[in-house]
Amino acid sequence: QVQLQESGPGLVKPSQTLSLTCTVSGGSITTSYGAWSWIRQPPGKGLEWMGVSAYDGSTYYSPSLKSRTSISRDTSKNQFSLQLSSVTPEDTAVYYCAAGLDGRYFRGYDYWGQGTQVTVSS
């Protein structure tokens, strides 16, 4: 039922801020215990969890990315967004938004967006 769709520029210049938005349909990002995450996959590498926005607006980030990452939400649009600052070519990846229905525990993600390619290049 829940569907997620990533959107944003596919090309970002080094040192700039990468900004993506996940639009959610079929469910509310404020529904109790939902967890709304950003995950990325660099070429040839595994999935890397970046951070999460919980149903109550609280956020948590990967320690390796915390200093550069911000996740926000717009409840009126049922969207949550990712900002990754000071990007380098190593930030080139496919970026996914994903949702878990019960954020009190991690039991895997119930829904995924299709992913969007973001390339960091001058």
Side-chain angles (χ1 to χ4, degrees):
Q1 182 73 358
V2 174
Q3 297 184 60
L4 301 91
Q5 179 68 247
E6 304 91 346
S7 62
L11 181 64
V12 183
K13 293 182 177 181
S15 81
Q16 294 186 336
T17 295
L18 181 159
S19 297
L20 296 172
T21 296
C22 184
T23 300
V24 178
S25 61
S28 174
I29 62 174
T30 62
T31 297
S32 294
Y33 309 129
W36 309 87
S37 296
W38 286 99
I39 301 155
R40 69 179 183 179
Q41 185 169 33
K45 298 183 180 180
L47 297 170
E48 179 184 21
W49 180 78
M50 302 183 70
V52 61
S53 173
Y55 71 99
D56 61 357
S58 59
T59 54
Y60 305 91
Y61 303 102
S62 169
S64 64
L65 296 170
K66 183 176 181 179
S67 66
R68 299 194 292 131
T69 305
S70 179
I71 297 174
S72 59
R73 68 178 189 170
D74 185 337
T75 58
S76 68
K77 297 181 179 180
N78 210 34
Q79 296 176 330
F80 64 105
S81 299
L82 170 73
Q83 291 189 313
L84 182 67
S85 66
S86 303
V87 299
T88 73
E90 292 195 6
D91 293 310
T92 294
V94 177
Y95 285 75
Y96 300 90
C97 53
L101 297 181
D102 192 343
R104 295 173 296 179
Y105 313 96
F106 181 73
R107 298 185 176 93
Y109 299 104
D110 299 289
Y111 302 98
W112 290 76
Q114 67 179 9
T116 186
Q117 172 71 43
V118 180
T119 299
V120 179
S121 176
S122 60

